[in-house]
Amino acid sequence: MSAIRGGVPFVDFGAQVAGLRREIDAAVRRVLDSGWFILGPEGEALERELQAHFGAAAAVGVGNGTEAIQAALEAAGVRPGDEVVTSPLTAAFTALAIVRAGARPVFADVEPGTLVVSAETVAAAITPRTRAVVPVHLYGHPVDLDPLRDLAAQHGLALVEDACQAHGARYKDRRVGASGTVTLSFYPTKNLGALGDGGAVLTEDLALAARLKEWRNGGQRARYEHVSLGTNSRLDEIQAAILRVKLPHLDAWTERRRALAGIYRRELEGAELELPREAPYARSCWHLFVVRHRRRDALAAALRARGVETLVHYPVPVHLQAAFQALGWGEGCLPRAEAAAREVLSLPLYPEMTDEQALTVVAAVRQALVSLR
Ligand SMILES: *Cc1c(COP(=O)(O)O)cnc(C)c1O
């Protein structure tokens, strides 16, 4: 996409790596020199640093975000036959993690303004078999946690927050991850991204953290002593070392994302499209800046013609994906999520983007909207 002259790519990994290149090279060299590649000092240091950064009681590194969700559910006691309520408007990996934990995903519709689930929509999906809830802080916008925590407590449900898009988001005056059990992905496009796969669980529950450490390493309590049926889901030392270079920049990157989102919201005010809103309780970390338009595909094409790359998160809600057909959901079951999937469009937004690039996007959106009239 950067091939289009004067255009704006959706993301620019090169820019972030270039800015940190010497520190990243030094971190990788440190691991190569150490000769220790799995579950070692870098991973342990990263866990301590994540714990401190997010204000969690414990952080446990795992192989990726999907396994972070699976691990947290299994460690919270989810068993085959259980139901787990989640959002249909998310990366399908959220529901896949629930299936891998042996449970059945049950979808709660989203709130029309924020596109995240709420205590009201989750309550409608609870049955006697429900064992846990996995709310998704979609696009970096947190769900309204307090009512959801009350609901979970009232029904004796585990709450595992999918914060794979929400590193740096705040709920009221608290950082997402400072309490409860929260999963992070370090997939390269995420707000805190490795240069490969990675994930972590942050938790206030030290016993759960101990079970996670056992789970990720084959269920071993000590070497060759397998006491439970865990798996292999380890964050490698090179990725941990790279994440340690990036973590100290996360807050500044979040502020930059917020500034860019501010430009979009100010400059697109009054344009003929629906802008994303922040709920009064929320401080989004703007993983994605998602607008809505009835003729989304035509708008995307008109932007592409003007050199602006966009993506759709997500064109098909999880309950309508072929892989999940056996769950028995169909068109019309979750009307708000389905309407959103037809209309959402993600504009470019990444910390290295300049104000000028944001204004280029704004001008292109305004022209594209005129062309659609
Ligand atoms: C990225 C993502 C995941 C999966 O994380 P991986 O590290 O790719 O396994 C799960 N849920 C959401 C909301 C995500 O954005």
Side-chain angles (χ1 to χ4, degrees), residues 198-284:
V201 180
L202 306 173
T203 183
E204 62 187 10
D205 181 342
L206 293 176
L208 185 129
R211 290 196 292 281
L212 292 171
K213 287 188 174 179
E214 193 176 286
W215 182 89
R216 72 175 174 189
N217 197 22
Q220 294 179 88
R221 186 162 53 197
R223 197 180 239 189
Y224 306 130
E225 198 187 330
H226 296 262
V227 294
S228 59
L229 295 174
T231 192
N232 176 0
S233 181
R234 299 174 299 219
L235 179 62
D236 73 72
E237 290 284 284
I238 290 180
Q239 296 307 335
I242 291 167
L243 287 164
R244 292 183 66 204
V245 170
K246 289 188 166 197
L247 181 61
H249 299 278
L250 179 59
D251 281 346
W253 289 336
T254 302
E255 289 315 307
R256 181 66 193 143
R257 286 175 180 275
R258 291 185 56 79
L260 289 162
I263 292 177
Y264 278 157
R265 291 209 296 176
R266 190 175 65 239
E267 300 294 328
L268 288 171
E269 176 81 52
E272 292 159 25
L273 84 180
E274 190 177 328
L275 293 171
R277 280 176 297 224
E278 240 172 349
Y281 64 75
R283 198 163 186 277
S284 176

Coordinates of all heavy atoms in Angstrom, one line a residue, residues 198-284:
G198 N 2.9 -14.2 20.6 CA 3.1 -14.1 22.1 C 1.8 -13.7 22.7 O 0.8 -13.2 22.1
G199 N 1.7 -14.0 24.0 CA 0.5 -13.6 24.8 C 0.7 -13.7 26.3 O 1.8 -14.1 26.7
A200 N -0.2 -13.2 27.1 CA 0.0 -13.3 28.5 C -1.4 -13.2 29.2 O -2.4 -12.7 28.6 CB 0.8 -12.1 29.0
V201 N -1.4 -13.7 30.4 CA -2.6 -13.6 31.3 C -2.1 -12.7 32.5 O -1.1 -13.0 33.1 CB -3.1 -14.9 31.8 CG1 -4.3 -14.7 32.7 CG2 -3.4 -15.8 30.6
L202 N -2.9 -11.7 32.7 CA -2.7 -10.9 34.0 C -3.8 -11.2 34.9 O -5.0 -11.4 34.5 CB -2.9 -9.4 33.6 CG -2.0 -8.8 32.5 CD1 -2.4 -7.3 32.2 CD2 -0.5 -8.8 32.9
T203 N -3.5 -11.4 36.2 CA -4.5 -11.8 37.1 C -4.2 -11.3 38.5 O -3.1 -11.1 38.9 CB -4.7 -13.4 37.1 OG1 -5.8 -13.7 38.0 CG2 -3.4 -14.1 37.6
E204 N -5.3 -11.1 39.3 CA -5.2 -10.8 40.7 C -5.2 -12.0 41.6 O -5.0 -11.9 42.8 CB -6.4 -9.9 41.1 CG -7.7 -10.6 41.0 CD -8.9 -9.7 41.2 OE1 -8.8 -8.5 41.3 OE2 -10.1 -10.2 41.3
D205 N -5.3 -13.2 40.9 CA -5.4 -14.5 41.6 C -4.1 -15.3 41.5 O -3.8 -15.9 40.5 CB -6.6 -15.2 41.0 CG -6.9 -16.6 41.6 OD1 -6.0 -17.1 42.3 OD2 -8.0 -17.1 41.4
L206 N -3.4 -15.3 42.6 CA -2.0 -15.9 42.6 C -2.1 -17.5 42.4 O -1.3 -18.1 41.7 CB -1.3 -15.6 43.8 CG -0.9 -14.1 44.0 CD1 -0.2 -13.9 45.3 CD2 0.0 -13.7 42.8
A207 N -3.2 -18.1 42.9 CA -3.3 -19.5 42.7 C -3.6 -19.8 41.2 O -3.1 -20.8 40.7 CB -4.5 -20.0 43.6
L208 N -4.4 -19.0 40.6 CA -4.7 -19.1 39.2 C -3.4 -19.0 38.4 O -3.1 -19.7 37.4 CB -5.8 -18.1 38.7 CG -6.3 -18.3 37.3 CD1 -7.8 -18.3 37.2 CD2 -5.8 -17.1 36.4
A209 N -2.6 -18.0 38.7 CA -1.3 -17.8 38.0 C -0.4 -19.0 38.1 O 0.2 -19.4 37.2 CB -0.6 -16.6 38.6
A210 N -0.4 -19.7 39.3 CA 0.4 -20.9 39.5 C -0.1 -22.0 38.6 O 0.7 -22.7 38.0 CB 0.3 -21.3 41.0
R211 N -1.5 -22.1 38.4 CA -2.0 -23.2 37.6 C -1.6 -22.9 36.1 O -1.4 -23.8 35.3 CB -3.5 -23.2 37.7 CG -4.0 -23.8 39.1 CD -5.4 -24.3 39.1 NE -6.4 -23.2 39.0 CZ -6.8 -22.4 40.0 NH1 -6.3 -22.5 41.2 NH2 -7.7 -21.4 39.8
L212 N -1.6 -21.6 35.7 CA -1.3 -21.2 34.4 C 0.2 -21.6 34.0 O 0.5 -22.0 33.0 CB -1.5 -19.7 34.2 CG -2.9 -19.2 34.2 CD1 -2.9 -17.6 34.2 CD2 -3.7 -19.7 33.0
K213 N 1.0 -21.4 35.0 CA 2.5 -21.7 34.8 C 2.7 -23.2 34.6 O 3.5 -23.6 33.8 CB 3.3 -21.1 35.9 CG 3.4 -19.6 35.9 CD 4.4 -19.1 36.9 CE 4.6 -17.6 36.6 NZ 5.5 -16.9 37.6
E214 N 1.9 -23.9 35.3 CA 1.9 -25.4 35.1 C 1.4 -25.8 33.8 O 2.0 -26.6 33.0 CB 1.1 -26.0 36.3 CG 1.3 -27.5 36.5 CD 0.5 -27.9 37.7 OE1 0.9 -27.6 38.8 OE2 -0.6 -28.5 37.5
W215 N 0.2 -25.2 33.4 CA -0.5 -25.5 32.2 C 0.4 -25.2 30.9 O 0.4 -26.1 30.0 CB -1.8 -24.6 32.1 CG -2.7 -24.9 30.9 CD1 -3.7 -25.8 30.8 CD2 -2.6 -24.2 29.7 NE1 -4.3 -25.7 29.6 CE2 -3.7 -24.7 28.9 CE3 -1.9 -23.1 29.2 CZ2 -3.9 -24.2 27.6 CZ3 -2.1 -22.7 27.9 CH2 -3.1 -23.2 27.1
R216 N 1.0 -24.1 30.9 CA 1.8 -23.7 29.7 C 3.0 -24.6 29.5 O 3.5 -24.6 28.4 CB 2.2 -22.2 29.8 CG 3.4 -22.1 30.8 CD 3.9 -20.7 30.8 NE 4.9 -20.5 31.9 CZ 5.4 -19.4 32.2 NH1 5.0 -18.3 31.7 NH2 6.3 -19.3 33.2
N217 N 3.4 -25.3 30.5 CA 4.6 -26.1 30.4 C 4.3 -27.6 30.6 O 5.0 -28.3 31.3 CB 5.7 -25.6 31.4 CG 7.1 -26.1 31.1 OD1 7.4 -26.5 29.9 ND2 7.9 -26.1 32.1
G218 N 3.3 -28.0 29.8 CA 3.0 -29.5 29.8 C 2.4 -30.0 31.1 O 2.5 -31.2 31.4
G219 N 1.9 -29.1 32.0 CA 1.3 -29.6 33.2 C 2.4 -30.1 34.2 O 2.1 -30.9 35.1
Q220 N 3.6 -29.5 34.0 CA 4.7 -30.0 34.9 C 4.8 -29.1 36.2 O 4.7 -27.8 36.1 CB 6.1 -29.8 34.2 CG 6.2 -30.8 33.1 CD 7.6 -30.6 32.4 OE1 8.6 -31.2 32.8 NE2 7.6 -29.7 31.4
R221 N 4.9 -29.7 37.3 CA 5.1 -28.9 38.6 C 6.6 -28.7 38.7 O 7.1 -27.7 39.2 CB 4.5 -29.7 39.8 CG 4.5 -28.9 41.1 CD 3.6 -29.5 42.1 NE 3.9 -30.9 42.2 CZ 3.0 -31.8 42.8 NH1 1.9 -31.4 43.2 NH2 3.3 -33.1 42.9
A222 N 7.4 -29.7 38.4 CA 8.8 -29.6 38.4 C 9.2 -30.4 37.1 O 8.4 -31.2 36.6 CB 9.4 -30.2 39.6
R223 N 10.5 -30.4 36.8 CA 10.9 -31.1 35.5 C 10.6 -32.6 35.6 O 10.9 -33.2 36.6 CB 12.4 -30.8 35.4 CG 12.9 -31.2 34.0 CD 14.4 -30.9 33.9 NE 14.6 -29.9 32.8 CZ 15.9 -29.7 32.4 NH1 16.9 -30.3 32.9 NH2 16.0 -28.8 31.5
Y224 N 10.0 -33.0 34.5 CA 9.5 -34.4 34.4 C 8.5 -34.9 35.4 O 8.3 -36.1 35.6 CB 10.8 -35.4 34.4 CG 11.8 -35.0 33.4 CD1 13.1 -34.8 33.7 CD2 11.4 -34.7 32.0 CE1 14.1 -34.4 32.8 CE2 12.3 -34.3 31.1 CZ 13.7 -34.2 31.5 OH 14.6 -33.8 30.5
E225 N 7.9 -33.9 36.0 CA 6.8 -34.3 37.0 C 5.5 -33.6 36.5 O 5.2 -32.5 36.8 CB 7.2 -33.7 38.4 CG 6.4 -34.3 39.5 CD 6.7 -33.6 40.8 OE1 7.8 -33.1 41.0 OE2 5.8 -33.6 41.7
H226 N 4.8 -34.4 35.6 CA 3.6 -33.9 35.0 C 2.4 -34.2 35.9 O 2.0 -35.4 36.0 CB 3.4 -34.5 33.6 CG 4.4 -34.1 32.6 ND1 4.3 -33.1 31.7 CD2 5.7 -34.6 32.4 CE1 5.4 -33.0 31.0 NE2 6.3 -33.8 31.4
V227 N 1.8 -33.2 36.5 CA 0.7 -33.5 37.4 C -0.7 -33.1 36.9 O -1.7 -33.4 37.5 CB 1.0 -32.7 38.8 CG1 2.2 -33.3 39.5 CG2 1.1 -31.2 38.5
S228 N -0.7 -32.4 35.7 CA -2.0 -32.1 35.1 C -1.8 -32.1 33.6 O -0.7 -32.1 33.1 CB -2.5 -30.7 35.6 OG -1.5 -29.7 35.3
L229 N -3.0 -32.1 32.9 CA -2.9 -32.2 31.4 C -2.8 -30.7 30.9 O -3.8 -30.2 30.5 CB -4.1 -32.9 30.9 CG -4.2 -34.4 31.2 CD1 -5.5 -35.0 30.8 CD2 -3.0 -35.2 30.7
G230 N -1.6 -30.2 30.9 CA -1.4 -28.9 30.3 C -1.2 -29.0 28.9 O -1.6 -29.9 28.2
T231 N -0.5 -28.0 28.4 CA -0.1 -28.0 26.9 C 1.3 -27.4 26.8 O 1.9 -27.1 27.8 CB -1.2 -27.3 26.1 OG1 -1.0 -27.5 24.7 CG2 -1.1 -25.8 26.3
N232 N 1.7 -27.2 25.5 CA 2.9 -26.4 25.3 C 2.5 -25.1 24.8 O 2.0 -24.9 23.6 CB 3.8 -27.1 24.3 CG 5.0 -26.3 23.9 OD1 5.2 -25.2 24.4 ND2 5.8 -26.9 23.0
S233 N 2.6 -24.0 25.6 CA 2.3 -22.7 25.2 C 3.2 -21.7 25.9 O 2.9 -21.1 26.9 CB 0.8 -22.4 25.6 OG 0.5 -21.0 25.1
R234 N 4.4 -21.7 25.4 CA 5.5 -20.9 26.1 C 5.9 -19.7 25.2 O 6.0 -19.8 24.0 CB 6.7 -21.8 26.4 CG 6.3 -22.9 27.3 CD 7.4 -23.9 27.5 NE 7.8 -24.6 26.3 CZ 8.2 -25.9 26.2 NH1 8.1 -26.6 27.2 NH2 8.6 -26.4 25.0
L235 N 6.1 -18.6 25.9 CA 6.6 -17.3 25.2 C 8.1 -17.5 25.2 O 8.7 -17.6 26.2 CB 6.2 -16.1 26.1 CG 6.5 -14.8 25.6 CD1 5.9 -14.5 24.2 CD2 6.1 -13.7 26.6
D236 N 8.7 -17.4 24.0 CA 10.1 -17.6 23.9 C 10.9 -16.4 24.3 O 10.4 -15.3 24.4 CB 10.5 -18.1 22.5 CG 10.4 -17.0 21.4 OD1 11.3 -16.2 21.5 OD2 9.5 -17.1 20.6
E237 N 12.1 -16.6 24.6 CA 13.0 -15.6 25.2 C 13.3 -14.4 24.3 O 13.4 -13.3 24.7 CB 14.3 -16.2 25.6 CG 14.2 -17.1 26.8 CD 14.1 -16.4 28.1 OE1 15.1 -15.8 28.6 OE2 12.9 -16.3 28.6
I238 N 13.4 -14.7 23.0 CA 13.6 -13.6 22.0 C 12.4 -12.7 22.0 O 12.6 -11.4 22.1 CB 14.0 -14.2 20.6 CG1 15.4 -14.8 20.6 CG2 14.0 -13.0 19.6 CD1 15.8 -15.4 19.3
Q239 N 11.2 -13.2 21.9 CA 10.1 -12.4 21.9 C 9.9 -11.6 23.2 O 9.6 -10.4 23.2 CB 8.8 -13.2 21.6 CG 8.8 -13.8 20.2 CD 9.0 -12.8 19.1 OE1 8.8 -11.6 19.2 NE2 9.5 -13.3 17.9
A240 N 10.2 -12.3 24.3 CA 10.1 -11.6 25.6 C 11.1 -10.4 25.7 O 10.8 -9.3 26.1 CB 10.4 -12.6 26.7
A241 N 12.3 -10.6 25.2 CA 13.3 -9.6 25.2 C 12.9 -8.4 24.3 O 13.1 -7.2 24.7 CB 14.7 -10.1 24.7
I242 N 12.3 -8.7 23.2 CA 11.8 -7.6 22.3 C 10.6 -6.9 23.0 O 10.6 -5.6 22.9 CB 11.4 -8.2 20.9 CG1 12.6 -8.7 20.2 CG2 10.6 -7.2 20.1 CD1 12.3 -9.6 19.0
L243 N 9.7 -7.6 23.6 CA 8.6 -7.0 24.3 C 9.1 -6.1 25.4 O 8.5 -5.0 25.7 CB 7.6 -8.0 24.8 CG 6.8 -8.7 23.7 CD1 6.1 -10.0 24.2 CD2 5.7 -7.7 23.2
R244 N 10.2 -6.5 26.1 CA 10.8 -5.6 27.1 C 11.3 -4.3 26.6 O 11.3 -3.3 27.3 CB 11.9 -6.4 27.9 CG 11.4 -7.6 28.7 CD 12.5 -8.2 29.4 NE 13.1 -7.3 30.4 CZ 14.3 -7.4 30.9 NH1 15.1 -8.3 30.5 NH2 14.7 -6.6 31.9
V245 N 11.7 -4.3 25.3 CA 12.1 -3.0 24.7 C 10.9 -2.2 24.5 O 10.9 -0.9 24.7 CB 12.9 -3.3 23.4 CG1 13.1 -2.0 22.6 CG2 14.2 -4.0 23.6
K246 N 9.8 -2.8 24.1 CA 8.6 -2.0 23.7 C 7.8 -1.5 24.8 O 7.2 -0.5 24.7 CB 7.8 -2.9 22.7 CG 8.4 -3.0 21.3 CD 7.4 -3.7 20.4 CE 7.8 -3.6 18.9 NZ 6.6 -3.9 18.1
L247 N 7.6 -2.4 25.9 CA 6.7 -2.0 27.0 C 6.9 -0.6 27.5 O 5.9 0.1 27.8 CB 6.8 -3.1 28.1 CG 5.9 -2.9 29.3 CD1 4.4 -2.9 28.9 CD2 6.2 -4.0 30.4
P248 N 8.1 -0.1 27.7 CA 8.2 1.2 28.3 C 7.7 2.3 27.4 O 7.4 3.4 27.8 CB 9.8 1.4 28.4 CG 10.3 0.0 28.5 CD 9.4 -0.8 27.6
H249 N 7.4 2.0 26.1 CA 6.9 3.0 25.2 C 5.3 2.9 25.1 O 4.7 3.8 24.4 CB 7.4 2.8 23.8 CG 8.9 2.9 23.7 ND1 9.5 4.2 23.6 CD2 9.9 2.0 23.7 CE1 10.8 4.0 23.6 NE2 11.1 2.7 23.7
L250 N 4.7 1.9 25.7 CA 3.3 1.7 25.5 C 2.5 2.9 25.9 O 1.6 3.3 25.1 CB 2.9 0.4 26.3 CG 1.4 0.0 26.1 CD1 1.0 -0.2 24.7 CD2 1.1 -1.2 27.0
D251 N 2.7 3.5 27.0 CA 1.9 4.6 27.4 C 2.0 5.8 26.4 O 1.0 6.4 26.1 CB 2.3 5.1 28.8 CG 1.7 4.2 29.9 OD1 0.8 3.4 29.6 OD2 2.2 4.3 31.1
A252 N 3.2 6.1 26.0 CA 3.3 7.2 25.0 C 2.6 6.8 23.7 O 2.0 7.7 23.0 CB 4.8 7.4 24.7
W253 N 2.7 5.5 23.3 CA 2.0 5.1 22.0 C 0.5 5.2 22.2 O -0.2 5.6 21.3 CB 2.4 3.6 21.7 CG 3.8 3.5 21.2 CD1 4.5 4.4 20.6 CD2 4.5 2.3 21.2 NE1 5.8 3.9 20.3 CE2 5.8 2.6 20.6 CE3 4.3 1.0 21.7 CZ2 6.8 1.6 20.5 CZ3 5.3 0.0 21.6 CH2 6.5 0.4 21.0
T254 N 0.0 4.9 23.4 CA -1.4 5.0 23.7 C -1.9 6.5 23.6 O -2.9 6.8 23.0 CB -1.8 4.5 25.1 OG1 -1.4 3.1 25.1 CG2 -3.3 4.6 25.3
E255 N -1.0 7.4 24.2 CA -1.4 8.8 24.1 C -1.4 9.3 22.6 O -2.2 10.1 22.2 CB -0.4 9.7 24.9 CG -0.6 9.5 26.4 CD -2.1 9.6 26.8 OE1 -2.8 10.5 26.5 OE2 -2.5 8.6 27.5
R256 N -0.4 8.8 21.8 CA -0.4 9.2 20.4 C -1.6 8.7 19.7 O -2.2 9.4 18.9 CB 0.9 8.6 19.8 CG 1.1 9.0 18.4 CD 1.3 10.5 18.1 NE 1.2 10.8 16.7 CZ 0.6 11.9 16.2 NH1 0.2 12.9 17.1 NH2 0.6 12.1 15.0
R257 N -2.0 7.5 20.0 CA -3.2 6.9 19.4 C -4.4 7.8 19.8 O -5.3 8.1 18.9 CB -3.5 5.5 19.8 CG -2.6 4.4 19.2 CD -2.8 3.1 19.8 NE -2.0 2.1 19.2 CZ -2.2 1.4 18.1 NH1 -3.3 1.6 17.4 NH2 -1.4 0.5 17.6
R258 N -4.5 8.2 21.0 CA -5.6 9.0 21.5 C -5.6 10.4 20.8 O -6.7 10.9 20.4 CB -5.6 9.2 23.0 CG -5.9 7.9 23.7 CD -6.0 8.1 25.2 NE -7.0 9.1 25.6 CZ -8.3 8.9 25.6 NH1 -8.8 7.7 25.3 NH2 -9.1 9.9 25.9
A259 N -4.4 10.9 20.5 CA -4.3 12.2 19.9 C -4.8 12.1 18.4 O -5.5 13.0 17.9 CB -2.9 12.7 19.9
L260 N -4.4 11.0 17.7 CA -4.8 10.8 16.4 C -6.3 10.6 16.3 O -7.0 11.1 15.4 CB -4.1 9.6 15.8 CG -2.6 9.9 15.5 CD1 -1.8 8.6 15.3 CD2 -2.4 10.8 14.3
A261 N -6.9 9.8 17.2 CA -8.3 9.6 17.3 C -9.0 10.9 17.5 O -10.1 11.2 16.9 CB -8.7 8.6 18.4
G262 N -8.4 11.8 18.3 CA -9.0 13.1 18.5 C -9.0 13.9 17.2 O -10.0 14.6 17.0
I263 N -8.0 13.9 16.4 CA -8.0 14.6 15.1 C -9.1 14.0 14.3 O -9.9 14.8 13.7 CB -6.6 14.4 14.4 CG1 -5.5 15.1 15.2 CG2 -6.7 14.9 13.0 CD1 -4.1 14.9 14.6
Y264 N -9.2 12.7 14.2 CA -10.3 12.1 13.3 C -11.7 12.6 13.8 O -12.5 13.0 13.0 CB -10.2 10.6 13.4 CG -9.2 9.9 12.5 CD1 -8.8 8.6 12.8 CD2 -8.8 10.5 11.3 CE1 -7.9 8.0 12.0 CE2 -7.9 9.9 10.5 CZ -7.5 8.6 10.8 OH -6.6 7.9 10.0
R265 N -11.9 12.6 15.1 CA -13.2 12.9 15.6 C -13.5 14.3 15.4 O -14.6 14.7 15.1 CB -13.3 12.5 17.1 CG -13.3 10.9 17.3 CD -14.0 10.5 18.4 NE -13.4 10.9 19.7 CZ -13.9 10.7 20.9 NH1 -15.0 10.1 21.0 NH2 -13.3 11.1 21.9
R266 N -12.5 15.2 15.6 CA -12.7 16.6 15.4 C -13.0 17.0 14.0 O -13.9 17.7 13.6 CB -11.5 17.4 16.0 CG -11.7 18.9 16.1 CD -10.5 19.5 16.7 NE -9.3 19.4 15.9 CZ -8.2 18.8 16.3 NH1 -8.0 18.3 17.5 NH2 -7.1 18.7 15.5
E267 N -12.1 16.4 13.1 CA -12.1 16.8 11.7 C -13.2 16.1 10.9 O -13.6 16.6 9.8 CB -10.8 16.5 11.0 CG -9.6 17.3 11.7 CD -9.7 18.8 11.5 OE1 -10.2 19.2 10.4 OE2 -9.2 19.5 12.4
L268 N -13.8 15.0 11.5 CA -14.8 14.3 10.7 C -16.2 14.6 11.3 O -17.2 14.1 10.9 CB -14.6 12.8 10.7 CG -13.4 12.4 9.8 CD1 -13.1 10.9 10.0 CD2 -13.8 12.7 8.3
E269 N -16.2 15.4 12.4 CA -17.5 15.8 13.0 C -18.4 16.4 11.9 O -18.0 17.2 11.1 CB -17.2 16.9 14.0 CG -18.4 17.6 14.7 CD -18.8 16.7 15.9 OE1 -18.0 16.3 16.7 OE2 -20.0 16.4 15.9
G270 N -19.7 15.9 11.9 CA -20.6 16.4 11.0 C -20.6 15.7 9.6 O -21.5 15.9 8.8
A271 N -19.6 14.9 9.4 CA -19.5 14.2 8.1 C -20.6 13.1 8.1 O -21.1 12.7 9.1 CB -18.1 13.5 7.9
E272 N -21.0 12.7 6.9 CA -22.1 11.7 6.8 C -21.7 10.3 7.0 O -21.7 9.4 6.2 CB -22.7 11.8 5.4 CG -23.5 13.2 5.2 CD -23.6 13.5 3.7 OE1 -23.6 12.5 2.9 OE2 -23.7 14.6 3.3
L273 N -21.2 10.0 8.2 CA -20.9 8.7 8.7 C -20.9 8.6 10.2 O -20.9 9.7 10.8 CB -19.5 8.2 8.1 CG -18.2 8.5 8.8 CD1 -17.0 8.0 8.0 CD2 -18.0 10.0 8.9
E274 N -21.0 7.4 10.7 CA -21.1 7.3 12.2 C -19.7 7.2 12.8 O -18.9 6.3 12.4 CB -21.9 6.1 12.6 CG -22.3 6.1 14.1 CD -23.2 5.0 14.4 OE1 -24.0 4.6 13.6 OE2 -23.0 4.4 15.6
L275 N -19.3 8.1 13.7 CA -18.0 8.1 14.3 C -18.0 7.2 15.6 O -19.1 7.2 16.2 CB -17.6 9.5 14.6 CG -17.3 10.4 13.4 CD1 -17.1 11.9 13.9 CD2 -16.1 10.0 12.7
P276 N -16.9 6.6 15.9 CA -16.9 5.9 17.2 C -17.0 6.8 18.4 O -16.4 7.9 18.4 CB -15.5 5.2 17.1 CG -14.7 6.0 16.2 CD -15.6 6.6 15.2
R277 N -17.7 6.3 19.4 CA -17.9 7.1 20.6 C -17.2 6.4 21.8 O -17.1 5.2 21.8 CB -19.4 7.2 21.0 CG -20.1 8.2 20.2 CD -21.6 8.2 20.5 NE -22.1 6.9 20.1 CZ -23.3 6.7 19.5 NH1 -24.0 7.8 19.3 NH2 -23.7 5.5 19.2
E278 N -16.7 7.2 22.7 CA -16.2 6.6 24.0 C -17.3 6.7 25.0 O -17.9 7.8 25.2 CB -15.0 7.5 24.4 CG -13.7 6.8 24.5 CD -12.6 7.7 24.8 OE1 -12.7 8.9 24.7 OE2 -11.5 7.2 25.1
A279 N -17.6 5.6 25.7 CA -18.6 5.7 26.8 C -18.1 6.5 27.9 O -16.8 6.6 28.0 CB -18.9 4.3 27.2
P280 N -18.9 7.1 28.7 CA -18.4 8.0 29.8 C -17.5 7.3 30.8 O -16.6 7.9 31.3 CB -19.7 8.4 30.5 CG -20.8 8.2 29.6 CD -20.4 7.1 28.6
Y281 N -17.6 6.0 30.9 CA -16.7 5.3 31.9 C -15.4 4.9 31.2 O -14.5 4.3 31.9 CB -17.5 4.0 32.3 CG -17.7 3.0 31.2 CD1 -16.7 2.2 30.7 CD2 -19.0 2.8 30.7 CE1 -16.9 1.3 29.6 CE2 -19.2 1.9 29.6 CZ -18.2 1.2 29.1 OH -18.4 0.3 28.1
A282 N -15.2 5.1 29.9 CA -14.1 4.5 29.2 C -13.1 5.5 28.7 O -13.3 6.6 28.4 CB -14.7 3.8 28.0
R283 N -11.8 5.0 28.7 CA -10.7 5.7 28.1 C -10.1 4.6 27.1 O -9.4 3.7 27.5 CB -9.7 6.1 29.1 CG -8.8 7.2 28.7 CD -8.1 7.9 29.9 NE -7.3 9.0 29.4 CZ -6.1 8.9 28.9 NH1 -5.5 7.8 28.8 NH2 -5.4 10.0 28.5
S284 N -10.5 4.8 25.9 CA -10.1 3.8 24.9 C -8.6 3.9 24.6 O -8.1 5.0 24.6 CB -10.9 4.0 23.6 OG -10.5 3.1 22.6

